[in-house]
Amino acid sequence: MRLLAAEEELDRQVSGVMTTDLQDPGRYLHGGELVLTGMLWRSGPADSERFVRTLAAGGAVALAAGEAEVGPVPEDLVEACRRHRMPLLAVPDDIAFGTVTEFIGRQVSADRAADLAALVDRHRLLVSAAGGGGLDAVLDLLGGDLDLDCWVLTPTGAVIAGPAERLTAEDRDQLVRAHLAAQRQRRRPPHRARLAGGVYSLLPAPASAEHEAPLADWVLAVAGDITEWTTKRQQLAENLARLVAVERHRRDEGRRLRRRLADELLALLRRDADPAELGRTLYASSAMAARYEGPEPKSPAQEDSWLVLSAEGTGLPEGMVRAVLEEALGGTTDRALVAGAGTGAVVVLPAPAGPVPADVLRELLAPLEAGLGSEGRITLGVSAPAAEVGGLRGALEEARHARRIAAARVGRVCVAGPEELASHVLLLAAVPDEVRRAFRSRLLDKVIAYDIEHQADLVRTLEAFLRSDGSWTRCAGQLHVHVNTLRYRIGRIEELTGRDLSRLEDRVDFYLALELA
């Protein structure tokens, strides 16, 4: 259908449909109707004004004019609808009024919504007992019977259930960020998010009432603003959120044994156990995953390589990082073993064809930033692939060193990979905080104080000089100053610090101090 008038009135609520070709249908209107007409009442322009005025007085919310009988909608009807702020839709001849009536009937039928709400409530028990693809079946049912699009998403935007092709990756990212931000601000659900395609309602689906890892909650995304729905239709959405929570709880229960295996593997790594012991634990993990994935479990020797991830949370409750990584990596592989205690976690998983780049993990975890408070951080280090089980101990140490590099950076979600372990940043990350502060202070405090007191630009000049490898001409050009001005500034830095910037050792010290700053 084509919209011809009163676009600004499209937020009206439709409560029913009326089909008429009477010249005066006012006595049959109760308010809230979309009126369908074949325009057989019209014999001239004056009829259009009278007909639309009657609809407006009777509380109709929109008019849809069929073009099958009398042809295109006349301009006088368009003008009359504009004057009375009545949305006007042209119904082409290939769309039957019955199709429109049936569609709207499904949208507004409170009785049908109540029936489906009861069905969803019953199906909640079936999902908990049968497991598997129950959520997709329910969401397909709602989409077919009520034209209600729903999705279940992880906090990183992966689709657990629902028509994934109808949500772009950008849409999913925006939805989970809106959900996490609302959770962090402790706003009462349902939360709302407005995307280019319309409004969505967001309902959290934790595993249980005692669940204290909101960063790991699933979210039920429903197309539309459920706060404007009828009471029974709202109950449908609430029952659906309960069903999702039951499925979430079922999956968490299924992870308990994997968690015990993960904790056992981490304990073996910490005491440098025999590779054969490590292999038995990894094979048990593969056998468990095969029960759900189908293929025969691989022995550790059959795996090409393994990756180890080391993660730490700051300003987060205990267990949060472990729960977050289970959800984030669950969509990547069901064979990841996530161990952890307190605010940290360690992950062991089969490596993909190539090493997992740090930027891939960073992008995967990026939506979580919206749920972290001002003090909240997640830092993660990734090892290089370990070619055999016996190399997992070294991979764990490598991942921990990489995590220290990530912790030295600025940001709420920071990831570092094995390619950075040859950098000076690793050395800086390994130095105790008080030593780093003292080193930075000795070299830079007087320069910073001089900048503040004299409105000078010595720190920026120092950075540019080091980036230019000590080239006076190139540095002066970058700063847009005369070479003599640059020489004066560098001389002032040397006087304040007692260092000589013509010496390599002093340049290295300044470079490291600036990195620490």
Side-chain angles (χ1 to χ4, degrees):
M1 296 191 289
R2 305 187 314 279
L3 177 65
L4 302 179
E7 181 179 356
E8 68 279 2
E9 301 295 333
L10 290 181
D11 59 348
R12 296 179 177 183
Q13 190 76 24
V14 178
S15 62
V17 182
M18 175 185 180
T19 302
T20 183
D21 273 307
L22 296 174
Q23 288 187 339
D24 184 4
R27 61 186 181 276
Y28 300 110
L29 292 170
H30 302 286
E33 293 92 349
L34 168 66
V35 176
L36 300 172
T37 181
M39 299 185 291
L40 298 179
W41 44 264
R42 180 184 178 278
S43 58
D47 294 337
S48 294
E49 170 64 26
R50 182 169 54 251
F51 186 79
V52 176
R53 184 170 61 244
T54 300
L55 297 186
V61 296
L63 173 64
E67 299 178 320
E69 294 292 333
V70 300
V73 177
E75 187 61 30
D76 52 85
L77 181 56
V78 177
E79 288 300 323
C81 286
R82 285 176 181 156
R83 283 193 294 272
H84 292 279
R85 304 176 68 85
M86 177 69 62
L88 173 62
L89 298 162
V91 185
D93 56 11
D94 60 342
I95 296 180
F97 281 179
T99 302
V100 179
T101 301
E102 180 184 353
F103 175 84
I104 293 179
R106 291 200 306 267
Q107 298 291 321
V108 302
S109 172
D111 289 339
R112 181 59 177 153
D115 292 342
L116 281 171
L119 177 62
V120 168
D121 202 30
R122 291 196 302 273
H123 199 82
R124 178 164 52 90
L125 301 177
L126 295 176
V127 171
S128 63
L135 284 181
D136 273 315
V138 174
L139 298 191
D140 286 345
L141 175 67
L142 294 177
D145 282 6
L146 279 184
D147 295 296
L148 184 62
D149 283 339
C150 304
W151 299 264
V152 179
L153 306 174
T154 71
T156 55
V159 178
I160 297 293
E165 70 281 357
R166 299 187 191 176
L167 274 184
T168 66
E170 182 180 355
D171 289 340
R172 298 197 304 269
D173 182 81
Q174 292 184 51
L175 288 176
V176 296
R177 285 178 184 270
H179 160 71
L180 290 169
Q183 290 282 85
R184 177 172 55 82
Q185 296 163 9
R186 300 186 182 277
R187 298 207 303 267
R188 188 173 181 177
H191 313 129
R192 286 183 294 179
R194 183 175 295 277
L195 275 57
V199 176
Y200 292 79
S201 299
L202 307 172
L203 293 163
S208 67
E210 295 78 25
H211 190 57
E212 295 184 355
L215 277 178
D217 282 350
W218 288 356
V219 55
L220 171 64
V222 182
D225 185 351
I226 68 175
T227 62
E228 296 180 353
W229 292 0
T230 62
T231 300
K232 290 185 177 180
R233 196 174 170 91
Q234 289 182 25
Q235 290 173 352
L236 168 64
E238 292 165 1
N239 282 340
L240 182 57
R242 295 190 190 101
L243 183 152
V244 174
V246 168
E247 174 68 1
R248 170 65 196 274
H249 180 68
R250 185 192 70 81
R251 292 202 185 183
D252 275 2
E253 286 296 314
R255 284 173 172 163
R256 289 184 183 274
L257 181 54
R258 292 183 61 77
R259 286 179 173 179
R260 287 202 294 271
L261 287 172
D263 290 339
E264 178 184 340
L265 180 64
L266 181 58
L268 291 173
L269 288 173
R270 283 174 172 167
R271 65 181 177 86
D272 202 14
D274 185 270
E277 290 187 78
L278 298 174
R280 285 192 289 270
T281 302
L282 291 171
Y283 182 79
S285 170
S286 296
M288 187 180 303
R291 292 176 55 191
Y292 303 101
E293 295 179 358
E296 287 297 316
K298 289 184 177 182
S299 71
Q302 291 174 308
E303 292 289 356
D304 293 331
S305 56
W306 300 85
L307 285 181
V308 179
L309 280 59
S310 175
E312 185 69 30
T314 304
L316 301 177
E318 292 190 0
M320 177 81 80
V321 173
R322 180 180 198 167
V324 164
L325 290 178
E326 284 179 335
E327 288 304 323
L329 298 174
T332 305
T333 174
D334 286 336
R335 305 181 64 195
L337 286 174
V338 186
T343 60
V346 172
V347 184
V348 177
L349 71 161
V356 175
D359 54 356
V360 172
L361 284 168
R362 191 179 300 110
E363 183 178 350
L364 177 68
L365 300 175
L368 299 175
E369 295 175 352
L372 294 167
S374 58
E375 301 299 322
R377 292 189 76 204
I378 296 177
T379 54
L380 191 144
V382 188
S383 76
E388 54 186 22
V389 174
L392 285 177
R393 172 68 183 175
L396 174 59
E397 289 303 315
E398 194 173 68
R400 286 173 171 166
H401 286 312
R403 195 206 64 77
R404 292 191 187 100
I405 292 177
R409 293 174 174 160
V410 176
R412 294 185 178 181
V413 177
C414 298
V415 184
E419 65 279 359
E420 300 174 75
L421 291 178
S423 168
H424 65 278
V425 180
L426 175 61
L427 298 176
L428 298 180
V431 175
D433 286 345
E434 61 274 13
V435 177
R436 295 165 63 185
R437 284 193 294 268
F439 179 76
R440 181 180 63 229
S441 176
R442 278 198 303 272
L443 279 167
L444 295 181
D445 276 3
K446 290 183 179 179
V447 181
I448 294 172
Y450 186 91
D451 272 353
I452 294 173
E453 182 179 353
H454 299 279
Q455 300 298 304
D457 211 4
L458 298 186
V459 173
R460 191 168 74 94
T461 300
L462 176 60
E463 290 175 330
F465 185 73
L466 295 174
R467 283 198 306 269
S468 303
D469 298 324
S471 169
W472 297 98
T473 304
R474 193 159 67 247
C475 180
Q478 290 179 5
L479 294 174
H480 304 289
V481 298
H482 194 275
V483 172
N484 288 341
T485 302
L486 175 61
R487 292 185 182 279
Y488 171 79
R489 291 181 182 179
I490 294 299
R492 177 60 64 186
I493 293 171
E494 292 175 335
E495 290 176 11
L496 292 169
T497 61
R499 298 297 187 105
D500 181 357
L501 278 164
S502 66
R503 298 178 67 247
L504 175 62
E505 294 88 341
D506 287 342
R507 289 187 188 181
V508 170
D509 284 349
F510 275 120
Y511 176 79
L512 295 177
L514 289 169
E515 285 285 294
L516 291 173

